[in-house]
Amino acid sequence: MSAPPREGASATVTAAYRQYFPLLQNKCARALGDAAEAEEVAQESFIRLWRSGMAQRPVREVVPWLYRVSTRLLIDRLRVRQRRQPVEMSAALQDTTAHPAPSIESVLQVRQLLQSLASSLPAEELEVALLHRLDGLTQPEIGEVTSLSDRTVRRILTRLEARLGSWREEER
């Protein structure tokens, strides 16, 4: 277990919470479709920030860390759901940031696909996919959050697009 946070950590956590909690909660709500569960994931991200010692780091390091932790917690939730209730892959993953008001059907299709992807993709690939498609992060931003090179991020996204292309073909 890590050492308790220092005094300065409290101010960092408070500032990060005020600024980033709504963003993390919104991201999780879009993927999970459950506001209460999304709030739990966002809160757990900040609890982990407090306990980790990362709160003593500069904000420019805390933000990518929060994105990464919240994305991993989101992946865990999706995987638990998949184990409890398997779903068919019925639609291709859509870029939810490009469509501010998607139809209910497309939202449900994306959530179903996210659950399917959570059980079939390697964790690193799923994390990059969520950061890109759900959060709308650029490849360099994903590299910063995940500590992966731009080349690796590009390779993962290319592989994901190929997978999605084959899934689209299977649906026809």
Side-chain angles (χ1 to χ4, degrees), residues 64-131:
W65 188 91
L66 277 170
Y67 266 93
R68 186 169 207 172
V69 167
S70 66
T71 301
R72 288 180 175 176
L73 290 169
L74 177 59
I75 289 169
D76 291 345
R77 293 285 176 122
L78 290 169
R79 286 190 169 150
V80 166
R81 280 185 178 184
Q82 178 63 24
R83 282 191 293 267
R84 276 192 262 138
Q85 181 183 34
V87 294
E88 295 289 320
M89 252 184 274
S90 62
L93 182 61
Q94 298 174 9
D95 184 350
T96 58
T97 61
H99 308 287
S103 70
I104 291 173
E105 293 83 15
S106 68
V107 170
L108 291 174
Q109 289 174 339
V110 169
R111 286 187 190 135
Q112 288 176 339
L113 183 58
L114 283 172
Q115 287 178 321
S116 296
L117 289 174
S119 67
S120 63
L121 289 179
E124 183 178 73
E125 194 169 324
L126 183 59
E127 180 179 16
V128 169
L130 290 174
L131 290 168

Side-chain angles (χ1 to χ4, degrees), residues 23-31 67 70-71 74 131 134-135:
L23 296 172
L24 296 180
Q25 184 179 16
N26 187 318
K27 160 186 139 168
C28 296
R30 286 192 324 256
Y67 266 93
S70 66
T71 301
L74 177 59
L131 290 168
L134 192 62
D135 292 324

Side-chain angles (χ1 to χ4, degrees), residues 128 132 137-144 146-159:
V128 169
H132 182 66
L137 297 184
T138 64
Q139 290 179 14
E141 290 168 335
I142 293 168
E144 184 178 342
T146 61
S147 300
L148 297 172
S149 70
D150 287 346
R151 182 178 178 188
T152 301
V153 171
R154 193 170 32 259
R155 188 185 80 241
I156 290 171
L157 290 173
T158 300
R159 193 169 50 231

